[in-house]
C-alpha cells in the first residue's frame, strides 16, 4: 500500500519537477551597459544626450534658439494638410500612396521631435538662475525606461527557461571603488583572530571588507564566475535586450 502511494506521488510530482527548469543566471550590469540609452549617458553632466534631460548649450541664448525651433516645427505641423496637398499636385494617382506614406512618417517624426524639444525646454527652465541646466529629476524617465526593459528581459528569460529562480550575478560582483582602499589596514594581521576561533570585532570585519575589495581588484574589477548548477543566460539576455530596444534612441 505504501509502495503504491509512493509511486502515485512520484508520478504526480515528476512532471512538475521536469517543467520547473533549472535556475538561470544573468547579469543586470551587462544589460544596463548594453542598453542604447546608457550609451547616450554623458558623464560630464550626468544627463542623457539627445533626450529632454540634456543640457541646453548657450544658456538663455540656447533656450531662445530652442524655442524658435519649436515654433518652426509647430508651424510646419499646423500647415501639414496644405503641405501634403502641395506635394500631391501633379503626382500621378498610382504614386500618391507612396507620397502620403512618406509624408505621414515625416509628420510622426516631427511630432515626436517637437514633443521631446518642448519637454527639454521645460526642464531647462526649472532651475532658477541657470537657464539651460536641467534638474536631476529630468533623467528619471530614461532610468525608468532602462529598468523597464531590463525587467522585461528578466521575465522573458524566466519564461523561456521555465525557471522559478533567476539569479543576478551582479549581486555577487559589486563594482570595486579603489579610492576607498586603505592599504595600511590590510597590512595588519587582523584575520588571525578568525583562525583562532575568536569572534571578529568591527575592525576585523572592516579588514575583511577591504580584503574582499582588494582581491576583486587584483582579479580585474571582479572575480570570474563559473556557473555551476545553473543555466548561464547572460549572452542570451543581452541579445533579447537588443531585440527589444532595436530602433530606440538612435
Amino acid at each position: 500500500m505504501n509502495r503504491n502511494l509512493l509511486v502515485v506521488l512520484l508520478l504526480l510530482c515528476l512532471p512538475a519537477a521536469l517543467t520547473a527548469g533549472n535556475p538561470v543566471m544573468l547579469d543586470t550590469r551587462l544589460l544596463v551597459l548594453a542598453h542604447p540609452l546608457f550609451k547616450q549617458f554623458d558623464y560630464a553632466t550626468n544627463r542623457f544626450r539627445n533626450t529632454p534631460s540634456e543640457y541646453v548649450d548657450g544658456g538663455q541664448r540656447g533656450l531662445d534658439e530652442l524655442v524658435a525651433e519649436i515654433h518652426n516645427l509647430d508651424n510646419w505641423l499646423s500647415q501639414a494638410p496644405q503641405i501634403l496637398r502641395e506635394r500631391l499636385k501633379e503626382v500621378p494617382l498610382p504614386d500618391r500612396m507612396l507620397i502620403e506614406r512618406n509624408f505621414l512618417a515625416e509628420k510622426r517624426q516631427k511630432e515626436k521631435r517637437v514633443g521631446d524639444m518642448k519637454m527639454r525646454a521645460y526642464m531647462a527652465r526649472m532651475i532658477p538662475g541657470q537657464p539651460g541646466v536641467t534638474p536631476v529629476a529630468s533623467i528619471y524617465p530614461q532610468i525608468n525606461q532602462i529598468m523597464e526593459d531590463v525587467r522585461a528581459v528578466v521575465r522573458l528569460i524566466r519564461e523561456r527557461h521555465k525557471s522559478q529562480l533567476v539569479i543576478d550575478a551582479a549581486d555577487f560582483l559589486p563594482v570595486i571603488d579603489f579610492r576607498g582602499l586603505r592599504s595600511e589596514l590590510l597590512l595588519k594581521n587582523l584575520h588571525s583572530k578568525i583562525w583562532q576561533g575568536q569572534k571578529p570585532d568591527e575592525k576585523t570585519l572592516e579588514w575583511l571588507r577591504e580584503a574582499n575589495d582588494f582581491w576583486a581588484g587584483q582579479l580585474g574589477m571582479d572575480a570570474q564566475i563559473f556557473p555551476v548548477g545553473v543555466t548561464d543566460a547572460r549572452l542570451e539576455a543581452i541579445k533579447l535586450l537588443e531585440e527589444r530596444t532595436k530602433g530606440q534612441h538612435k
Side-chain angles (χ1 to χ4, degrees), residues 175-182 213-214 216-221:
V175 176
I176 303 305
D177 185 359
F178 294 99
R179 292 172 298 178
L181 191 63
R182 292 187 295 171
D213 289 351
F214 173 79
Q218 290 294 309
L219 293 169
M221 291 298 286

Side-chain angles (χ1 to χ4, degrees), residues 10-12 41 44 46 50 65 68 84 90 92 94 108 112 121 137 146 160-161 180 185-186 216 220 224 245:
L10 283 173
L11 290 174
L12 289 173
F41 189 72
N46 290 327
N50 301 321
E65 292 174 356
L84 178 59
E90 301 179 2
R108 283 193 295 268
K112 182 183 183 306
I146 292 173
R160 276 190 169 195
H161 293 271
L185 179 63
L186 290 177
Q224 181 66 37
T245 59

Side-chain angles (χ1 to χ4, degrees), residues 8 48 76 83 106 128 150 173 178 194 197-198 206 208 211 213 215 220 227 235 245:
V8 171
F48 291 90
W76 189 96
I83 295 173
E106 180 184 0
V150 169
L173 299 175
F178 294 99
I194 301 174
Q198 300 179 27
E206 185 180 354
L208 285 171
D213 289 351
W215 282 112
L235 182 58
T245 59

Side-chain angles (χ1 to χ4, degrees), residues 186-226:
L186 290 177
L187 291 175
K188 299 177 181 178
N189 189 23
L190 298 183
H191 59 83
S192 61
K193 295 181 180 179
I194 301 174
W195 314 132
Q196 294 168 6
Q198 300 179 27
K199 184 178 179 180
D201 55 17
E202 187 59 36
K203 203 69 174 176
T204 305
L205 293 176
E206 185 180 354
W207 183 92
L208 285 171
R209 283 192 293 268
E210 293 203 4
N212 178 66
D213 289 351
F214 173 79
W215 282 112
Q218 290 294 309
L219 293 169
M221 291 298 286
D222 292 322
Q224 181 66 37
I225 279 188
F226 296 94

Side-chain angles (χ1 to χ4, degrees), residues 141-196:
Q142 291 82 51
I143 293 174
N144 288 336
Q145 181 64 56
I146 292 173
M147 297 316 300
E148 179 184 339
D149 292 332
V150 169
R151 284 192 293 267
V153 168
V154 173
R155 286 194 297 269
L156 280 172
I157 288 291
R158 186 177 59 195
E159 292 168 3
R160 276 190 169 195
H161 293 271
K162 297 181 174 60
S163 177
Q164 298 300 316
L165 178 61
V166 178
I167 300 172
D168 183 8
D171 289 338
F172 304 103
L173 299 175
V175 176
I176 303 305
D177 185 359
F178 294 99
R179 292 172 298 178
L181 191 63
R182 292 187 295 171
S183 57
E184 64 273 12
L185 179 63
L186 290 177
L187 291 175
K188 299 177 181 178
N189 189 23
L190 298 183
H191 59 83
S192 61
K193 295 181 180 179
I194 301 174
W195 314 132
Q196 294 168 6

Side-chain angles (χ1 to χ4, degrees), residues 14-248:
L14 187 58
L18 291 175
T19 57
N22 290 329
V24 180
M25 185 188 75
L26 49 76
D27 192 331
T28 54
R29 295 173 308 169
L30 299 179
L31 292 174
V32 171
L33 291 171
H35 197 284
L37 264 175
F38 191 83
K39 298 173 185 176
Q40 297 171 215
F41 189 72
D42 186 347
Y43 292 93
T45 62
N46 290 327
R47 301 295 185 271
F48 291 90
R49 291 184 292 271
N50 301 321
T51 72
S53 70
E54 184 179 20
Y55 286 1
V56 177
D57 293 333
Q60 188 59 51
R61 177 185 55 79
L63 263 176
D64 293 340
E65 292 174 356
L66 178 61
V67 171
E69 191 175 354
I70 291 171
H71 183 67
N72 290 335
L73 282 172
D74 277 337
N75 282 341
W76 189 96
L77 290 170
S78 66
Q79 298 171 16
Q82 298 93 310
I83 295 173
L84 178 59
R85 282 196 295 270
E86 286 294 323
R87 292 187 183 182
L88 291 175
K89 274 185 179 180
E90 301 179 2
V91 175
L93 190 60
D95 299 331
R96 288 194 170 192
M97 185 176 292
L98 179 61
I99 299 293
E100 290 175 349
R101 188 184 300 120
N102 291 339
F103 180 81
L104 288 175
E106 180 184 0
K107 183 172 178 286
R108 283 193 295 268
Q109 185 180 21
K110 289 183 184 295
E111 286 171 342
K112 182 183 183 306
R113 185 182 173 198
V114 76
D116 290 343
M117 291 170 66
K118 286 179 179 179
M119 179 58 69
R120 187 181 176 200
Y122 170 76
M123 290 291 182
R125 292 191 183 104
M126 290 189 69
I127 301 181
Q130 292 183 286
V133 177
T134 58
V136 174
S138 65
I139 67 174
Y140 290 172
Q142 291 82 51
I143 293 174
N144 288 336
Q145 181 64 56
I146 292 173
M147 297 316 300
E148 179 184 339
D149 292 332
V150 169
R151 284 192 293 267
V153 168
V154 173
R155 286 194 297 269
L156 280 172
I157 288 291
R158 186 177 59 195
E159 292 168 3
R160 276 190 169 195
H161 293 271
K162 297 181 174 60
S163 177
Q164 298 300 316
L165 178 61
V166 178
I167 300 172
D168 183 8
D171 289 338
F172 304 103
L173 299 175
V175 176
I176 303 305
D177 185 359
F178 294 99
R179 292 172 298 178
L181 191 63
R182 292 187 295 171
S183 57
E184 64 273 12
L185 179 63
L186 290 177
L187 291 175
K188 299 177 181 178
N189 189 23
L190 298 183
H191 59 83
S192 61
K193 295 181 180 179
I194 301 174
W195 314 132
Q196 294 168 6
Q198 300 179 27
K199 184 178 179 180
D201 55 17
E202 187 59 36
K203 203 69 174 176
T204 305
L205 293 176
E206 185 180 354
W207 183 92
L208 285 171
R209 283 192 293 268
E210 293 203 4
N212 178 66
D213 289 351
F214 173 79
W215 282 112
Q218 290 294 309
L219 293 169
M221 291 298 286
D222 292 322
Q224 181 66 37
I225 279 188
F226 296 94
V228 177
V230 298
T231 301
D232 188 352
R234 285 177 288 184
L235 182 58
E236 180 185 356
I238 292 175
K239 290 180 178 178
L240 287 173
L241 180 72
E242 290 174 348
E243 291 175 6
R244 176 180 171 84
T245 59
K246 189 178 296 182
Q248 285 187 19

